[in-house]
């Protein structure tokens, strides 16, 4: 069990199993306390990735969503608290996964009913590895003015009423989450407030004990006294009694064990928690209260007198000069959400779009965080703008030059290809520029201009698997798939595509490495042995060379490269380039005032 303070104003957590309300309550608490950064660094939702939009005060923020615990921990190495809102069926497995991550220091399990055998394994692992486990069956914990777990302390109104937005001098620990909310209010009424509060959970085997936290509180200088609320059942309180007897605790402890009414019933009584069932005289509330009293704790005669005992103890240490007066602050007002603020007129509406590539707020637009004026002053070209808007980073000059060369070489390929033909027919039908452009763009696909992504995908897969050209081509043949990027309607082995030669020459001169391109050339050599028209075409050249650009620049991780290919970035380059030519064909037809196109009969085979 760790010693000293668990949380601070910079503590961040990973939240497992997305629940909007408790996360929003955590973020509202952050804002109330004046934290600079949200306490929720990331959300783990198995099977999902992306972002969740929530509010941090008046500002809407996007919190990353990860599909696995491992991915979240890798993405947020400073987040050392794991808050688990999984059901009792999966809470143990996900919590164990989290505890095994080196970045996780504290785990809180909210679910009740976690199998006891699983809980024991979690407890053993946490103790063996000096990690803190709070729960199962807990509402969590809170450090006033710094950090809170999930729904701890309830609504923001209750947080403010209990003055939990700033630290006090009392360390509080309880088994019950519901009674914790009540006790935060009680403590705030008769002392300067709570410094840290923990609900260890009501299951039979809590991950950490009352004594664990009281001993920990004892070593925190800001904590001047401790308040403990136990309950009948189990023997957890006796570890605290032993700690008191052994002198491990030298600060005042005010304690009460609930459940004294159990003796009024003739049969054994099971209260709300799984662990709240007396299993004998030693586990009765009366026996525990007396043992705590004998060990030196301040124990009232009833729960009703608990508040008085807390007040008297606090007043005494205050008179002794051990309490530094707390400077009262006025917390900021939390904006009301739309569904609760319509009547009062105080609203905040969520956004409907997330954008990470550009920002038109402020004095001038920014592309990828670079102001427009800087783009002009630095002499950036179209390739640089594409690198900012598509790849969200400034790529080296040879990369952006290559992009520009691709655009120039792919801008047009004459009026006879399908895209240009469609655009020409549409323009001659009197349609506007956008309609004419779109009619041409809609022909782009697997058979026309859309093979760049597929070429990159298949070449990369084959090269990374160390397949020989023979193995690659023959495996594609067995699948009934033509090799994307290989083959041309006109070009032959003795009449290569000039565009391919220009791209290869540039890459060999400027790229750090061209391993994928060389592999594509080896594949071409093999396919040419089969047929003279199975040459590397411009799609294959761009696809393989873009792999070399992404891998050789050192600016992209392997998952990023895979995502770029999967999303369709490379086909996007062809779409952008060919749009230039299609727009040109539209203007050309309109300038020439060409009439409506009708295909000649003699060019049609009429048959039954």
């Amino acid at each position: 069990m760790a010693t000293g303070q668990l949380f601070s104003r910079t503590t961040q957590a990973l939240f497992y199993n997305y629940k909007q309300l408790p996360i929003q309550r955590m973020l509202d608490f952050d804002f109330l306390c004046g934290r600079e950064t949200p306490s929720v660094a990331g959300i783990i939702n198995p099977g999902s990735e992306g972002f969740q939009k929530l509010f941090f005060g008046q500002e809407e923020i996007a919190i990353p969503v990860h599909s696995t615990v491992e991915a979240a921990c890798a993405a947020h190495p400073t987040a050392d608290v794991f808050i688990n809102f999984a059901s009792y069926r999966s809470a143990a497995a996900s919590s164990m996964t989290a505890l095994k991550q080196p970045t996780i220091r504290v785990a809180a399990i909210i679910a009740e009913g976690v199998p006891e055998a699983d809980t024991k394994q979690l407890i053993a692992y946490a103790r063996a590895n000096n990690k803190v486990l709070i729960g199962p069956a807990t509402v969590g914990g809170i450090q006033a003015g710094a950090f809170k777990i999930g729904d701890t302390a309830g609504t923001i109104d209750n947080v403010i009423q209990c003055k939990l937005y700033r630290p006090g001098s009392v360390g509080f620990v309880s088994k019950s989450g519901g009674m914790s909310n009540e006790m935060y209010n009680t403590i705030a009424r008769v002392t300067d407030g709570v410094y840290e509060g923990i609900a260890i959970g009501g299951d039979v085997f809590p991950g950490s004990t009352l004594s664990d936290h009281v001993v920990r509180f004892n070593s925190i200088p800001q904590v001047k006294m401790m308040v403990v609320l136990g309950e009948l059942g189990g023997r957890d309180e006796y570890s605290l009694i032993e700690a008191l007897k052994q002198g491990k605790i030298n600060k005042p402890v005010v304690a009460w064990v609930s459940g004294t009414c159990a003796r009024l019933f003739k049969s054994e009584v099971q209260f709300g928690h799984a662990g709240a069932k007396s299993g004998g005289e030693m586990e009765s509330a009366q026996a525990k209260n007396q043992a705590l009293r004998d060990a030196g704790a301040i124990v009232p005669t009833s729960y009703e007198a608990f508040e008085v005992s807390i007040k008297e103890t606090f007043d005494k240490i205050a008179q002794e000069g051990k309490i530094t007066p707390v400077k009262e602050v006025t917390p900021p007002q939390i904006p009301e959400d739309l569904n609760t603020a319509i009547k009062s007129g105080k609203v905040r509406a969520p956004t409907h779009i997330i954008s990470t590539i550009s920002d038109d707020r402020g004095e001038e637009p920014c592309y990828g965080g670079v102001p427009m004026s800087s783009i002009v002053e630095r002499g950036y070209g179209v390739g640089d703008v594409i690198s900012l808007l598509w790849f969200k980073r400034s790529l080296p000059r040879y990369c952006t030059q290559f992009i520009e060369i691709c655009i120039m070489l792919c801008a047009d390929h004459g009026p006879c290809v399908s895209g240009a033909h469609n655009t020409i027919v549409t323009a001659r039908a009197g349609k506007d520029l956008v309609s004419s452009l779109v009619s041409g763009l809609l022909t782009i696909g697997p058979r026309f201009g859309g093979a760049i992504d597929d070429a990159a995908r298949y070449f990369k897969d084959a090269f990374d698997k160390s397949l020989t050209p023979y193995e690659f081509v023959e495996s594609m043949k067995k699948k009934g798939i033509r090799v994307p990027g290989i083959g041309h309607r006109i070009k032959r082995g003795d009449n290569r595509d000039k565009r391919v030669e220009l791209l290869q020459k540039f890459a060999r001169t400027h790229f750090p490495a061209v391993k994928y391109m060389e592999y594509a050339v080896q594949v071409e050599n093999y396919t040419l042995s089969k047929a003279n028209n199975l040459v590397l075409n411009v799609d294959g050249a761009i696809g393989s060379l873009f792999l070399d650009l992404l891998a050789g620049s050192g600016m992209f991780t392997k998952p990023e490269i895979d995502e770029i290919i999967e999303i369709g970035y490379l086909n996007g380059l062809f779409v952008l380039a060919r749009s230039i030519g299609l727009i040109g064909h539209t203007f050309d037809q309109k300038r020439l005032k060409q009439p409506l196109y009708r295909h000649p009969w003699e060019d049609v085979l009429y048959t039954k």
Side-chain angles (χ1 to χ4, degrees):
M1 177 74 179
T3 59
Q5 197 163 296
L6 289 184
F7 314 118
S8 71
R9 287 175 64 84
T10 59
T11 295
Q12 286 194 299
L14 297 175
F15 196 103
Y16 189 93
N17 197 22
Y18 175 70
K19 304 289 182 186
Q20 191 269 341
L21 183 57
I23 296 178
Q24 188 59 65
R25 283 180 169 177
M26 289 178 67
L27 297 175
D28 285 346
F29 179 76
D30 297 340
F31 180 74
L32 198 70
C33 299
R35 281 182 57 128
E36 294 183 1
T37 55
S39 60
V40 181
I43 297 166
I44 304 164
N45 226 26
S48 300
E49 290 183 341
F51 294 89
Q52 279 290 350
K53 298 186 295 179
L54 293 126
F55 284 103
F56 185 58
Q58 208 136 22
E59 178 187 0
E60 194 173 28
I61 60 174
I63 297 181
V65 178
H66 306 276
S67 60
T68 66
V69 173
E70 294 86 349
C73 290
H76 310 284
T78 59
D80 58 2
V81 177
F82 180 77
I83 302 172
N84 196 342
F85 266 74
S87 72
Y88 70 91
R89 290 178 291 272
S90 61
S94 50
S95 295
M96 182 61 81
T97 301
L99 287 171
K100 289 181 177 179
Q101 305 307 308
T103 55
I104 297 300
R105 184 176 50 87
V106 179
I109 304 174
I110 310 303
E112 58 181 310
V114 175
E116 292 177 1
D118 293 340
T119 301
K120 288 178 180 179
Q121 289 181 352
L122 291 169
I123 294 170
Y125 186 87
R127 290 190 177 275
N129 291 274
N130 197 35
K131 300 199 176 189
V132 178
L133 183 63
I134 303 173
T138 181
V139 72
I142 187 168
Q143 183 173 322
F147 177 85
K148 90 180 184 87
I149 294 172
D151 291 316
T152 302
T155 65
I156 285 297
D157 289 340
N158 193 62
V159 169
I160 294 172
Q161 184 70 28
C162 299
K163 299 181 180 178
L164 292 167
Y165 51 83
R166 52 69 169 164
S169 304
V170 180
F172 172 73
V173 62
S174 166
K175 287 188 176 181
S176 168
M179 286 304 298
S180 293
N181 291 349
E182 178 65 29
M183 288 305 300
Y184 292 142
N185 199 295
T186 298
I187 292 170
R189 284 199 303 268
V190 296
T191 73
D192 62 359
V194 167
Y195 183 81
E196 183 182 326
I198 298 288
I200 66 170
D203 277 1
V204 177
F205 298 102
S208 51
T209 66
L210 297 173
S211 62
D212 286 336
H213 293 287
V214 173
V215 171
R216 187 170 59 79
F217 292 157
N218 193 69
S219 65
I220 301 175
Q222 297 92 328
V223 175
K224 305 301 181 183
M225 62 175 285
M226 283 78 83
V227 174
V228 180
L229 180 62
E231 63 186 21
L232 85 164
R235 302 198 174 189
D236 189 19
E237 288 81 1
Y238 286 101
S239 62
L240 173 58
I241 291 165
E242 286 302 310
L244 286 164
K245 288 181 178 179
Q246 293 170 13
K248 293 181 180 179
I249 302 165
N250 53 30
K251 296 177 182 177
V253 176
V254 184
W256 176 253
V257 179
S258 297
T260 54
C261 65
R263 286 186 174 176
L264 299 176
F265 298 90
K266 293 181 180 180
S267 60
E268 186 177 72
V269 179
Q270 170 73 62
F271 286 84
H273 294 148
K277 179 174 69 173
S278 181
E281 177 58 28
M282 281 192 69
E283 295 186 11
S284 68
Q286 285 84 350
K288 291 181 181 181
N289 280 326
Q290 187 58 51
L292 282 165
R293 191 178 292 114
D294 294 341
I298 302 162
V299 182
T301 56
S302 65
Y303 179 78
E304 287 72 16
F306 199 17
E307 180 176 333
V308 175
S309 296
I310 295 170
K311 182 180 189 309
E312 289 175 349
T313 303
F314 179 81
D315 290 345
K316 180 181 178 183
I317 58 177
Q319 290 170 5
E320 294 171 353
K322 296 178 181 179
I323 300 289
T324 302
V326 173
K327 182 180 179 181
E328 290 295 342
V329 295
T330 301
Q333 183 170 344
I334 302 293
E336 293 181 74
D337 288 322
L338 186 62
N339 58 349
T340 60
I342 292 177
K343 292 182 179 180
S344 63
K346 300 175 183 177
V347 299
R348 59 183 183 187
T351 60
H352 300 288
I353 294 176
I354 299 176
S355 176
T356 64
I357 64 170
S358 62
D359 191 342
D360 59 346
R361 299 168 300 176
E363 295 183 1
E364 61 180 325
C366 293
Y367 291 168
V370 180
M372 191 67 67
S373 57
S374 297
I375 291 173
V376 175
E377 290 164 3
R378 296 173 188 174
Y380 281 2
V382 172
D384 299 287
V385 171
I386 291 173
S387 77
L388 293 172
L389 291 177
W390 290 18
F391 302 101
K392 296 173 61 175
R393 66 204 75 186
S394 291
L395 296 175
R397 184 59 187 144
Y398 75 86
C399 295
T400 58
Q401 282 183 300
F402 177 76
I403 291 172
E404 291 170 0
I405 291 172
C406 290
I407 292 172
M408 290 188 289
L409 295 180
C410 296
D412 191 51
H413 204 208
C416 297
V417 295
S418 56
H421 180 80
N422 269 21
T423 290
I424 289 170
V425 171
T426 306
R428 290 178 60 167
K431 300 292 286 186
D432 59 278
L433 170 62
V434 174
S435 299
S436 302
L437 171 62
V438 169
S439 69
L441 291 176
L442 288 175
T443 64
I444 296 175
R447 297 181 180 179
F448 171 64
I452 301 178
D453 281 316
D454 283 341
R457 187 177 298 111
Y458 283 111
F459 281 141
K460 183 177 186 301
D461 182 67
F463 180 85
D464 291 350
K465 290 179 177 177
S466 299
L467 297 180
T468 65
Y470 168 82
E471 292 171 336
F472 170 47
V473 174
E474 295 304 321
S475 67
M476 295 287 283
K477 183 179 179 180
K478 288 180 180 178
K479 297 174 185 176
I481 303 173
R482 294 183 178 183
V483 179
I486 293 290
H488 202 282
R489 294 286 299 274
I490 299 173
K491 298 299 179 181
R492 298 291 185 270
D494 54 357
N495 179 28
R496 304 293 179 89
D497 192 329
K498 189 66 177 178
R499 297 174 298 173
V500 173
E501 294 176 350
L502 289 169
L503 289 168
Q504 291 176 334
K505 180 180 179 181
F506 180 87
R508 287 193 172 102
T509 304
H510 297 93
F511 281 26
V514 287
K515 59 182 183 181
Y516 289 106
M517 185 200 77
E518 295 296 356
Y519 183 76
V521 170
Q522 293 173 26
V523 171
E524 180 192 45
N525 291 334
Y526 177 75
T527 55
L528 282 173
S529 69
K530 291 176 169 289
N532 199 33
N533 70 324
L534 296 181
V535 293
L536 182 68
N537 58 39
V538 71
D539 290 346
I542 293 175
S544 60
L545 285 171
F546 238 101
L547 291 173
D548 287 322
L549 182 153
L550 297 170
S553 67
M555 300 183 71
F556 300 89
T557 64
K558 184 179 182 302
E560 286 177 326
I561 294 173
D562 292 337
E563 184 180 55
I564 286 170
I565 297 169
E566 184 63 31
I567 288 176
Y569 275 48
L570 308 190
N571 279 351
L573 196 64
F574 183 85
V575 170
L576 175 62
R578 191 50 56 95
S579 294
I580 298 171
L582 298 179
I583 291 171
H585 284 294
T586 301
F587 291 155
D588 190 45
Q589 297 302 306
K590 291 184 178 295
R591 185 172 54 248
L592 295 171
K593 297 180 174 58
Q594 290 295 290
L596 178 68
Y597 176 84
R598 179 181 174 85
H599 205 72
W601 289 334
E602 57 266 30
D603 196 35
V604 177
L605 173 62
Y606 293 92
T607 183
K608 293 182 180 179

